[in-house]
Amino acid sequence: VARVLLDARNLPDLARGCAVLGTGGGGDPLVGLLMALQAIEAHGPVPLADLDDLPDDGLLMPCGGMGAPTISIEKFGEGSEGARLREHVERLRGRPVVALMSTEIGGSNGLRPIAWAAAMGLPVVDADGMGRAFPQMFQKTMEVAGLSPTPAVMTDERGNTLTIEHVRDGRWLERTMRAVAVEWGARACTSSYQLTVAQARTATIRGSVSLALHIGAVIREAREDPVAELVAVLAGHRLLDGKIVDVERRTTGGFARGTATVEGDGRTLVVEVQNENLVAREDGRVVASVPDLITVIDAQTAETIGTQRLRYGQRVSVIAFPCDPIWRTARGLEVAGPRAFGFDFDFVPVERLHG
Amino acid sequence: VARVLLDARNLPDLARGCAVLGTGGGGDPLVGLLMALQAIEAHGPVPLADLDDLPDDGLLMPCGGMGAPTISIEKFGEGSEGARLREHVERLRGRPVVALMSTEIGGSNGLRPIAWAAAMGLPVVDADGMGRAFPQMFQKTMEVAGLSPTPAVMTDERGNTLTIEHVRDGRWLERTMRAVAVEWGARACTSSYQLTVAQARTATIRGSVSLALHIGAVIREAREDPVAELVAVLAGHRLLDGKIVDVERRTTGGFARGTATVEGDGRTLVVEVQNENLVAREDGRVVASVPDLITVIDAQTAETIGTQRLRYGQRVSVIAFPCDPIWRTARGLEVAGPRAFGFDFDFVPVERLHG
């Protein structure tokens, strides 16, 4: 099997694609891109492994950063966090890690495991635990599949390291890790929900790294109307083209929260944010919501604008597109549907809202 | 060597003594007493071991509860926390625990390890890590002695369990554990700064369980003026007899904070509290402060009134007495002197303030 190598030629496309799938969150992709490029320059390219290329009982380490994207552009980590996560995961699981996996393909978290894998000489698998980005630690396909979140490992740039041996459930993992992350400065690196290759075949979003690469290439190569070309490849919907007229944003409780308001064509769209873009409303009516994906992109270039970079006056398109089917199952909606975020409405697929 | 057995006959004295040494904090001793009595009824008495009775390389497990004393009377734990701490300490240290030790002799924490030890069939050592109670996790004689706080283990009544593998220093242990404890409901059980028997000879307060038993017996047997008899055995000072005229108290950031104001004999004393009584002032002038001990006791019976039970109208004596000499060293004051709590004054020994 000819494997794709992740290197300086394709990483910028990957970063573009991760940004789109990040729905505004997952950490700033530019930071992850620079880290990955630097690590690959030092250690060589990283193989992108298909799950079928790895031994069934091989241990995968999902990993990434957690915290507020507003902090992700201020506090980068110092590079050895991935090695510490691996050391403790291997100690706790009693066997070697065969490949790293992004906990979430969205944002910087789609790229950071590549930086760590380069230094370790390990591959990254073509899969992730969300197919997008979500703010809370338990909002993963592994949780939907019933896998245990523990043992989970957390570390920061100071070397502070802790292991969560047991939690009552994924929500207690989130509560505990979030409290620590806030205390550590609203960013930390984590691994939870480790799994075997065999488990990953049904408990992850397969092919998401390839998808992000493809999305990135489409944006880079687009000529006429990049927004339209991106929407087409995502089977998505162009909710509104317009200007950002208001951004309300605060970093609180370890999350970036707020709203962005876009006006255009006499219409007004409000996007509600908790790290990621969660809900888009027009005149109070929901026009797209989690777990479907809502991304704010540059109206000209179709490059994504993360929640941490939204500003008054930007000319944007707000697009929405369908999530992986796993998130539309009953258990998927329990974990990451509107009500999991405290919204009092039921999920309606974006293609039905705009049918 | 004839060993003291901790049982239903002497535990009430121990609880009285722990209350005095708790300086208002350490958790409500009544709760610890009831837990210890119940465990001893079920499993038999607990040997009180002198360090010289144990093998030099034997592993001691300091343990206890952390959180706000205001919560200690609402949220008791469910009994298996100590066994979980031991399981993880033995796993992380790679050898068996030979005895439990109170992290702090003060308050409920002087009694809770006895309840756990009864169920385990282990002794408790006649030593502790403070000789009193302090609010912060690093304010221990083991920190003063330069021992590592990690690996540290934390668990709660839900079974949530985590291990802190490494922290930059004791203050990061405190920050990390406090953040988790708050999230878990302002109470958790912990073990940190585990040490060998040989290390404990110079890195703990020796004889503190015996001292608490003795203090408790003095209070129980006192006839004429229990306050005077208690002050005498402590080589202490009777700062003021009077009435509590104001209590300001809030549970915030995982601590109980506030002040208690006592009036008597035309004088006014204000006691500042962070879980424990930290500073006593008369007309703004410091008349006693950490690391020396300040305890508010019933004016008639000399029974201690914890910070969580202070009320308007109580007739009290405020007493102060010298701490163990280790706390008056330069490193001791760095860890637990007035400035370690954010006060802007230097420590003056209570006996010099009232010489």
Side-chain angles (χ1 to χ4, degrees), chain B residues 119-179:
Chain B
M120 295 175 192
L122 285 180
V124 160
V125 290
D126 191 5
D128 81 302
M130 296 191 192
R132 46 166 296 156
F134 278 125
Q136 302 190 84
M137 298 302 297
F138 63 87
Q139 295 178 313
K140 297 198 171 97
T141 52
M142 293 82 89
E143 171 75 23
V144 175
L147 300 185
S148 170
T150 54
V153 185
M154 251 184 112
T155 190
D156 73 1
E157 70 283 0
R158 301 169 196 87
N160 290 328
T161 305
L162 67 78
T163 304
I164 299 180
E165 317 290 346
H166 178 75
V167 281
R168 195 154 70 169
D169 57 32
R171 285 181 186 267
W172 280 97
L173 180 82
E174 161 64 25
R175 291 179 63 163
T176 304
M177 283 193 155
R178 190 69 49 182

Short mmCIF file of all heavy atoms in Angstrom, two decimals, chain B residues 119-179:
data_model
loop_
_atom_site.label_atom_id
_atom_site.label_comp_id
_atom_site.label_asym_id
_atom_site.label_seq_id
_atom_site.Cartn_x
_atom_site.Cartn_y
_atom_site.Cartn_z
N ALA B 119 -10.15 -0.45 58.91
CA ALA B 119 -10.64 -1.34 57.86
C ALA B 119 -9.50 -2.08 57.17
O ALA B 119 -9.69 -3.18 56.66
CB ALA B 119 -11.45 -0.53 56.84
N MET B 120 -8.31 -1.49 57.16
CA MET B 120 -7.16 -2.10 56.48
C MET B 120 -6.35 -3.00 57.39
O MET B 120 -5.46 -3.71 56.91
CB MET B 120 -6.22 -0.99 55.97
CG MET B 120 -6.79 -0.09 54.90
SD MET B 120 -5.62 1.26 54.53
CE MET B 120 -6.67 2.32 53.55
N GLY B 121 -6.59 -2.93 58.71
CA GLY B 121 -5.75 -3.68 59.63
C GLY B 121 -4.34 -3.13 59.71
O GLY B 121 -3.38 -3.85 59.98
N LEU B 122 -4.19 -1.82 59.48
CA LEU B 122 -2.87 -1.18 59.55
C LEU B 122 -2.79 -0.28 60.78
O LEU B 122 -3.81 0.22 61.25
CB LEU B 122 -2.63 -0.33 58.30
CG LEU B 122 -2.30 -1.05 56.99
CD1 LEU B 122 -2.10 -0.02 55.87
CD2 LEU B 122 -1.06 -1.91 57.14
N PRO B 123 -1.58 -0.03 61.28
CA PRO B 123 -1.44 0.96 62.35
C PRO B 123 -1.45 2.38 61.80
O PRO B 123 -1.31 2.60 60.60
CB PRO B 123 -0.06 0.64 62.94
CG PRO B 123 0.70 -0.04 61.86
CD PRO B 123 -0.32 -0.71 60.95
N VAL B 124 -1.62 3.32 62.73
CA VAL B 124 -1.45 4.74 62.44
C VAL B 124 -0.21 5.19 63.20
O VAL B 124 0.00 4.76 64.34
CB VAL B 124 -2.72 5.52 62.87
CG1 VAL B 124 -2.42 7.00 63.06
CG2 VAL B 124 -3.83 5.32 61.87
N VAL B 125 0.63 6.01 62.57
CA VAL B 125 1.83 6.42 63.28
C VAL B 125 1.58 7.64 64.15
O VAL B 125 0.71 8.47 63.85
CB VAL B 125 3.03 6.73 62.34
CG1 VAL B 125 3.57 5.45 61.72
CG2 VAL B 125 2.68 7.77 61.31
N ASP B 126 2.38 7.72 65.21
CA ASP B 126 2.26 8.82 66.17
C ASP B 126 3.07 10.02 65.64
O ASP B 126 4.13 10.35 66.19
CB ASP B 126 2.77 8.35 67.53
CG ASP B 126 2.42 9.35 68.63
OD1 ASP B 126 1.72 10.34 68.33
OD2 ASP B 126 2.86 9.13 69.78
N ALA B 127 2.56 10.60 64.58
CA ALA B 127 3.23 11.72 63.91
C ALA B 127 2.24 12.28 62.90
O ALA B 127 1.24 11.64 62.57
CB ALA B 127 4.48 11.24 63.18
N ASP B 128 2.51 13.48 62.41
CA ASP B 128 1.70 14.02 61.32
C ASP B 128 2.53 15.04 60.54
O ASP B 128 3.69 15.28 60.89
CB ASP B 128 0.40 14.65 61.84
CG ASP B 128 0.61 16.05 62.37
OD1 ASP B 128 1.43 16.21 63.30
OD2 ASP B 128 0.00 17.01 61.84
N GLY B 129 1.93 15.60 59.52
CA GLY B 129 2.68 16.47 58.62
C GLY B 129 2.52 17.95 58.91
O GLY B 129 2.96 18.78 58.10
N MET B 130 1.89 18.31 60.03
CA MET B 130 1.72 19.75 60.33
C MET B 130 1.86 20.06 61.82
O MET B 130 2.28 21.15 62.18
CB MET B 130 0.33 20.23 59.87
CG MET B 130 0.13 20.15 58.37
SD MET B 130 -1.38 21.01 57.86
CE MET B 130 -1.51 20.44 56.17
N GLY B 131 1.39 19.15 62.67
CA GLY B 131 1.32 19.44 64.09
C GLY B 131 0.14 20.35 64.41
O GLY B 131 -0.02 20.84 65.52
N ARG B 132 -0.69 20.58 63.43
CA ARG B 132 -1.82 21.49 63.52
C ARG B 132 -2.67 21.27 62.27
O ARG B 132 -2.69 20.17 61.73
CB ARG B 132 -1.36 22.94 63.66
CG ARG B 132 -0.24 23.35 62.69
CD ARG B 132 -0.09 24.86 62.64
NE ARG B 132 -1.34 25.40 62.09
CZ ARG B 132 -1.78 26.62 62.29
NH1 ARG B 132 -1.06 27.47 62.99
NH2 ARG B 132 -2.92 27.02 61.76
N ALA B 133 -3.38 22.27 61.79
CA ALA B 133 -4.01 22.21 60.47
C ALA B 133 -3.61 23.47 59.72
O ALA B 133 -3.42 24.52 60.33
CB ALA B 133 -5.53 22.12 60.60
N PHE B 134 -3.43 23.34 58.42
CA PHE B 134 -3.18 24.48 57.54
C PHE B 134 -4.08 24.32 56.33
O PHE B 134 -4.41 23.19 55.94
CB PHE B 134 -1.72 24.50 57.06
CG PHE B 134 -0.73 25.11 58.02
CD1 PHE B 134 0.39 24.38 58.42
CD2 PHE B 134 -0.89 26.39 58.51
CE1 PHE B 134 1.32 24.94 59.28
CE2 PHE B 134 0.04 26.95 59.37
CZ PHE B 134 1.15 26.22 59.76
N PRO B 135 -4.44 25.42 55.67
CA PRO B 135 -5.39 25.28 54.57
C PRO B 135 -4.80 24.73 53.27
O PRO B 135 -5.51 24.10 52.50
CB PRO B 135 -5.91 26.70 54.35
CG PRO B 135 -4.89 27.60 54.95
CD PRO B 135 -4.24 26.82 56.06
N GLN B 136 -3.50 24.95 53.01
CA GLN B 136 -2.99 24.62 51.68
C GLN B 136 -2.18 23.32 51.69
O GLN B 136 -1.49 23.00 52.66
CB GLN B 136 -2.14 25.78 51.16
CG GLN B 136 -2.94 27.08 51.10
CD GLN B 136 -2.22 28.18 50.36
OE1 GLN B 136 -2.27 28.26 49.15
NE2 GLN B 136 -1.52 29.02 51.09
N MET B 137 -2.27 22.61 50.56
CA MET B 137 -1.73 21.26 50.47
C MET B 137 -0.22 21.18 50.67
O MET B 137 0.31 20.15 51.04
CB MET B 137 -2.08 20.64 49.11
CG MET B 137 -3.56 20.48 48.86
SD MET B 137 -4.36 19.44 50.10
CE MET B 137 -3.51 17.89 49.85
N PHE B 138 0.49 22.25 50.35
CA PHE B 138 1.96 22.19 50.44
C PHE B 138 2.47 22.63 51.81
O PHE B 138 3.67 22.58 52.06
CB PHE B 138 2.60 23.05 49.35
CG PHE B 138 2.27 24.51 49.47
CD1 PHE B 138 3.04 25.34 50.26
CD2 PHE B 138 1.17 25.03 48.82
CE1 PHE B 138 2.73 26.68 50.39
CE2 PHE B 138 0.85 26.38 48.94
CZ PHE B 138 1.63 27.20 49.73
N GLN B 139 1.56 23.05 52.68
CA GLN B 139 1.99 23.55 53.98
C GLN B 139 2.21 22.39 54.94
O GLN B 139 1.48 22.20 55.92
CB GLN B 139 0.97 24.56 54.50
CG GLN B 139 0.95 25.81 53.59
CD GLN B 139 -0.05 26.84 53.96
OE1 GLN B 139 -1.21 26.52 54.22
NE2 GLN B 139 0.37 28.10 53.99
N LYS B 140 3.22 21.59 54.61
CA LYS B 140 3.50 20.38 55.36
C LYS B 140 4.97 20.33 55.74
O LYS B 140 5.83 20.86 55.01
CB LYS B 140 3.16 19.16 54.50
CG LYS B 140 1.68 19.08 54.13
CD LYS B 140 1.27 17.69 53.67
CE LYS B 140 -0.24 17.61 53.52
NZ LYS B 140 -0.69 17.82 52.14
N THR B 141 5.25 19.67 56.82
CA THR B 141 6.65 19.51 57.24
C THR B 141 7.45 18.76 56.19
O THR B 141 8.65 18.96 56.07
CB THR B 141 6.71 18.76 58.58
OG1 THR B 141 5.94 17.55 58.47
CG2 THR B 141 6.13 19.60 59.70
N MET B 142 6.79 17.90 55.41
CA MET B 142 7.51 17.16 54.36
C MET B 142 7.98 18.12 53.26
O MET B 142 9.02 17.92 52.65
CB MET B 142 6.62 16.07 53.76
CG MET B 142 6.28 14.94 54.73
SD MET B 142 4.89 15.36 55.83
CE MET B 142 3.48 14.80 54.86
N GLU B 143 7.19 19.17 53.01
CA GLU B 143 7.60 20.20 52.05
C GLU B 143 8.80 20.97 52.61
O GLU B 143 9.77 21.24 51.90
CB GLU B 143 6.43 21.15 51.77
CG GLU B 143 6.76 22.40 50.96
CD GLU B 143 6.97 22.16 49.47
OE1 GLU B 143 6.46 21.14 48.95
OE2 GLU B 143 7.66 22.99 48.83
N VAL B 144 8.72 21.31 53.89
CA VAL B 144 9.84 22.02 54.53
C VAL B 144 11.11 21.17 54.45
O VAL B 144 12.21 21.68 54.24
CB VAL B 144 9.49 22.35 56.00
CG1 VAL B 144 10.68 22.97 56.72
CG2 VAL B 144 8.27 23.27 56.07
N ALA B 145 10.94 19.84 54.57
CA ALA B 145 12.09 18.92 54.54
C ALA B 145 12.57 18.66 53.12
O ALA B 145 13.56 17.96 52.93
CB ALA B 145 11.72 17.61 55.22
N GLY B 146 11.88 19.20 52.12
CA GLY B 146 12.34 19.05 50.73
C GLY B 146 11.90 17.77 50.05
O GLY B 146 12.41 17.43 48.98
N LEU B 147 10.91 17.06 50.62
CA LEU B 147 10.41 15.84 49.96
C LEU B 147 9.48 16.21 48.80
O LEU B 147 8.88 17.29 48.78
CB LEU B 147 9.65 14.97 50.97
CG LEU B 147 10.46 14.47 52.17
CD1 LEU B 147 9.62 13.52 53.02
CD2 LEU B 147 11.76 13.79 51.73
N SER B 148 9.34 15.29 47.85
CA SER B 148 8.49 15.53 46.69
C SER B 148 7.01 15.35 47.05
O SER B 148 6.65 14.39 47.73
CB SER B 148 8.84 14.56 45.56
OG SER B 148 7.86 14.65 44.54
N PRO B 149 6.15 16.26 46.57
CA PRO B 149 4.71 16.08 46.82
C PRO B 149 4.09 14.97 45.98
O PRO B 149 2.98 14.53 46.28
CB PRO B 149 4.12 17.43 46.44
CG PRO B 149 5.10 18.07 45.52
CD PRO B 149 6.46 17.52 45.87
N THR B 150 4.77 14.57 44.91
CA THR B 150 4.18 13.60 43.98
C THR B 150 4.90 12.26 44.07
O THR B 150 6.06 12.23 44.50
CB THR B 150 4.26 14.11 42.53
OG1 THR B 150 5.63 14.43 42.25
CG2 THR B 150 3.39 15.32 42.33
N PRO B 151 4.25 11.17 43.66
CA PRO B 151 2.89 11.14 43.12
C PRO B 151 1.85 11.38 44.21
O PRO B 151 1.97 10.88 45.31
CB PRO B 151 2.77 9.71 42.58
CG PRO B 151 3.73 8.90 43.40
CD PRO B 151 4.86 9.83 43.72
N ALA B 152 0.85 12.16 43.86
CA ALA B 152 -0.24 12.45 44.77
C ALA B 152 -1.51 11.82 44.21
O ALA B 152 -1.67 11.73 43.00
CB ALA B 152 -0.42 13.95 44.93
N VAL B 153 -2.38 11.38 45.10
CA VAL B 153 -3.61 10.71 44.68
C VAL B 153 -4.79 11.46 45.28
O VAL B 153 -4.72 11.96 46.40
CB VAL B 153 -3.63 9.23 45.14
CG1 VAL B 153 -4.86 8.52 44.60
CG2 VAL B 153 -2.37 8.51 44.71
N MET B 154 -5.86 11.56 44.51
CA MET B 154 -7.08 12.26 44.95
C MET B 154 -8.27 11.39 44.60
O MET B 154 -8.32 10.86 43.49
CB MET B 154 -7.24 13.51 44.09
CG MET B 154 -7.00 14.77 44.78
SD MET B 154 -7.33 16.16 43.69
CE MET B 154 -8.78 16.79 44.53
N THR B 155 -9.25 11.30 45.49
CA THR B 155 -10.46 10.54 45.15
C THR B 155 -11.64 11.15 45.88
O THR B 155 -11.47 11.93 46.83
CB THR B 155 -10.28 9.04 45.48
OG1 THR B 155 -11.37 8.30 44.93
CG2 THR B 155 -10.20 8.80 46.97
N ASP B 156 -12.84 10.82 45.44
CA ASP B 156 -14.03 11.34 46.10
C ASP B 156 -15.05 10.23 46.32
O ASP B 156 -14.79 9.07 45.99
CB ASP B 156 -14.62 12.53 45.32
CG ASP B 156 -15.33 12.10 44.04
OD1 ASP B 156 -15.40 10.90 43.74
OD2 ASP B 156 -15.82 13.00 43.32
N GLU B 157 -16.18 10.59 46.88
CA GLU B 157 -17.18 9.60 47.25
C GLU B 157 -17.88 8.98 46.05
O GLU B 157 -18.55 7.95 46.18
CB GLU B 157 -18.20 10.20 48.23
CG GLU B 157 -19.16 11.24 47.63
CD GLU B 157 -18.53 12.60 47.41
OE1 GLU B 157 -17.32 12.78 47.71
OE2 GLU B 157 -19.25 13.50 46.91
N ARG B 158 -17.68 9.57 44.86
CA ARG B 158 -18.25 8.99 43.63
C ARG B 158 -17.33 7.96 43.00
O ARG B 158 -17.68 7.34 42.01
CB ARG B 158 -18.48 10.08 42.59
CG ARG B 158 -19.39 11.19 43.03
CD ARG B 158 -19.34 12.35 42.03
NE ARG B 158 -19.91 13.54 42.63
CZ ARG B 158 -19.23 14.40 43.36
NH1 ARG B 158 -17.93 14.24 43.56
NH2 ARG B 158 -19.84 15.43 43.90
N GLY B 159 -16.11 7.84 43.52
CA GLY B 159 -15.13 6.96 42.92
C GLY B 159 -14.22 7.67 41.93
O GLY B 159 -13.26 7.08 41.44
N ASN B 160 -14.51 8.93 41.62
CA ASN B 160 -13.58 9.71 40.78
C ASN B 160 -12.19 9.66 41.42
O ASN B 160 -12.05 9.89 42.62
CB ASN B 160 -14.02 11.17 40.69
CG ASN B 160 -15.29 11.37 39.88
OD1 ASN B 160 -15.56 10.62 38.94
ND2 ASN B 160 -16.09 12.36 40.25
N THR B 161 -11.18 9.31 40.63
CA THR B 161 -9.84 9.14 41.18
C THR B 161 -8.82 9.68 40.21
O THR B 161 -8.88 9.37 39.01
CB THR B 161 -9.54 7.64 41.41
OG1 THR B 161 -10.56 7.09 42.25
CG2 THR B 161 -8.19 7.44 42.09
N LEU B 162 -7.89 10.47 40.71
CA LEU B 162 -6.80 10.91 39.85
C LEU B 162 -5.48 10.90 40.58
O LEU B 162 -5.43 10.92 41.81
CB LEU B 162 -7.08 12.26 39.18
CG LEU B 162 -7.16 13.53 40.00
CD1 LEU B 162 -5.78 14.05 40.36
CD2 LEU B 162 -7.88 14.61 39.19
N THR B 163 -4.42 10.85 39.78
CA THR B 163 -3.07 10.81 40.28
C THR B 163 -2.30 11.98 39.69
O THR B 163 -2.36 12.18 38.48
CB THR B 163 -2.38 9.52 39.80
OG1 THR B 163 -3.18 8.42 40.21
CG2 THR B 163 -1.01 9.39 40.38
N ILE B 164 -1.64 12.72 40.52
CA ILE B 164 -0.78 13.79 40.00
C ILE B 164 0.64 13.24 39.98
O ILE B 164 1.21 12.91 41.02
CB ILE B 164 -0.92 15.06 40.85
CG1 ILE B 164 -2.39 15.52 40.79
CG2 ILE B 164 0.04 16.13 40.39
CD1 ILE B 164 -2.69 16.75 41.57
N GLU B 165 1.16 13.09 38.75
CA GLU B 165 2.45 12.41 38.58
C GLU B 165 3.59 13.37 38.86
O GLU B 165 4.64 12.99 39.37
CB GLU B 165 2.60 11.91 37.13
CG GLU B 165 1.35 11.27 36.54
CD GLU B 165 1.05 9.95 37.18
OE1 GLU B 165 1.93 9.41 37.88
OE2 GLU B 165 -0.06 9.43 36.99
N HIS B 166 3.40 14.62 38.45
CA HIS B 166 4.48 15.59 38.60
C HIS B 166 3.88 16.99 38.66
O HIS B 166 2.95 17.31 37.94
CB HIS B 166 5.44 15.51 37.40
CG HIS B 166 6.54 16.53 37.50
ND1 HIS B 166 7.60 16.39 38.36
CD2 HIS B 166 6.73 17.72 36.87
CE1 HIS B 166 8.40 17.45 38.25
NE2 HIS B 166 7.89 18.27 37.35
N VAL B 167 4.42 17.81 39.53
CA VAL B 167 4.08 19.24 39.55
C VAL B 167 5.37 20.02 39.68
O VAL B 167 6.37 19.51 40.20
CB VAL B 167 3.15 19.63 40.72
CG1 VAL B 167 1.72 19.25 40.44
CG2 VAL B 167 3.63 19.03 42.03
N ARG B 168 5.34 21.26 39.21
CA ARG B 168 6.57 22.07 39.26
C ARG B 168 7.00 22.27 40.70
O ARG B 168 8.19 22.25 40.99
CB ARG B 168 6.34 23.41 38.56
CG ARG B 168 7.66 24.08 38.27
CD ARG B 168 7.57 25.03 37.10
NE ARG B 168 6.77 26.20 37.43
CZ ARG B 168 6.71 27.28 36.65
NH1 ARG B 168 7.37 27.31 35.51
NH2 ARG B 168 5.99 28.30 36.99
N ASP B 169 6.04 22.46 41.59
CA ASP B 169 6.38 22.57 43.01
C ASP B 169 5.09 22.41 43.82
O ASP B 169 4.01 22.21 43.26
CB ASP B 169 7.07 23.91 43.32
CG ASP B 169 6.22 25.10 42.90
OD1 ASP B 169 4.98 25.01 42.96
OD2 ASP B 169 6.80 26.13 42.52
N GLY B 170 5.23 22.48 45.13
CA GLY B 170 4.09 22.26 46.02
C GLY B 170 2.93 23.21 45.77
O GLY B 170 1.77 22.84 45.94
N ARG B 171 3.25 24.43 45.36
CA ARG B 171 2.17 25.38 45.09
C ARG B 171 1.33 24.96 43.89
O ARG B 171 0.13 25.18 43.86
CB ARG B 171 2.72 26.81 44.89
CG ARG B 171 3.14 27.42 46.21
CD ARG B 171 3.67 28.83 46.09
NE ARG B 171 4.17 29.26 47.39
CZ ARG B 171 3.45 29.93 48.29
NH1 ARG B 171 2.21 30.27 48.03
NH2 ARG B 171 3.96 30.25 49.46
N TRP B 172 1.96 24.32 42.91
CA TRP B 172 1.19 23.79 41.78
C TRP B 172 0.37 22.59 42.20
O TRP B 172 -0.70 22.34 41.64
CB TRP B 172 2.10 23.48 40.59
CG TRP B 172 2.44 24.72 39.83
CD1 TRP B 172 3.56 25.48 39.95
CD2 TRP B 172 1.61 25.39 38.87
NE1 TRP B 172 3.48 26.58 39.12
CE2 TRP B 172 2.31 26.55 38.45
CE3 TRP B 172 0.35 25.14 38.34
CZ2 TRP B 172 1.79 27.44 37.51
CZ3 TRP B 172 -0.17 26.02 37.39
CH2 TRP B 172 0.54 27.16 37.00
N LEU B 173 0.85 21.83 43.18
CA LEU B 173 0.02 20.75 43.73
C LEU B 173 -1.25 21.33 44.33
O LEU B 173 -2.36 20.88 44.06
CB LEU B 173 0.79 19.97 44.80
CG LEU B 173 -0.01 18.82 45.42
CD1 LEU B 173 0.06 17.59 44.52
CD2 LEU B 173 0.48 18.47 46.82
N GLU B 174 -1.06 22.37 45.13
CA GLU B 174 -2.20 23.03 45.77
C GLU B 174 -3.17 23.57 44.71
O GLU B 174 -4.38 23.32 44.79
CB GLU B 174 -1.69 24.17 46.66
CG GLU B 174 -2.71 25.24 47.05
CD GLU B 174 -3.86 24.72 47.90
OE1 GLU B 174 -3.68 23.70 48.58
OE2 GLU B 174 -4.95 25.34 47.85
N ARG B 175 -2.66 24.29 43.73
CA ARG B 175 -3.53 24.89 42.71
C ARG B 175 -4.32 23.81 41.97
O ARG B 175 -5.52 23.95 41.74
CB ARG B 175 -2.70 25.67 41.69
CG ARG B 175 -2.08 26.93 42.26
CD ARG B 175 -1.25 27.65 41.22
NE ARG B 175 -2.09 28.09 40.10
CZ ARG B 175 -1.73 29.01 39.22
NH1 ARG B 175 -0.54 29.59 39.34
NH2 ARG B 175 -2.53 29.36 38.24
N THR B 176 -3.63 22.74 41.59
CA THR B 176 -4.26 21.69 40.80
C THR B 176 -5.29 20.94 41.64
O THR B 176 -6.43 20.75 41.22
CB THR B 176 -3.17 20.73 40.27
OG1 THR B 176 -2.21 21.50 39.54
CG2 THR B 176 -3.78 19.66 39.38
N MET B 177 -4.88 20.51 42.84
CA MET B 177 -5.81 19.76 43.69
C MET B 177 -7.00 20.61 44.10
O MET B 177 -8.12 20.13 44.18
CB MET B 177 -5.09 19.24 44.93
CG MET B 177 -4.22 18.03 44.66
SD MET B 177 -3.72 17.27 46.24
CE MET B 177 -3.41 15.58 45.69
N ARG B 178 -6.76 21.89 44.38
CA ARG B 178 -7.87 22.75 44.83
C ARG B 178 -8.90 22.90 43.72
O ARG B 178 -10.11 22.84 43.95
CB ARG B 178 -7.31 24.11 45.25
CG ARG B 178 -8.29 25.04 45.96
CD ARG B 178 -8.67 24.57 47.35
NE ARG B 178 -7.50 24.22 48.13
CZ ARG B 178 -7.54 23.74 49.36
NH1 ARG B 178 -8.69 23.59 49.99
NH2 ARG B 178 -6.44 23.39 49.97
N ALA B 179 -8.41 23.09 42.49
CA ALA B 179 -9.34 23.25 41.36
C ALA B 179 -10.21 22.01 41.21
O ALA B 179 -11.42 22.10 40.99
CB ALA B 179 -8.55 23.50 40.07
#
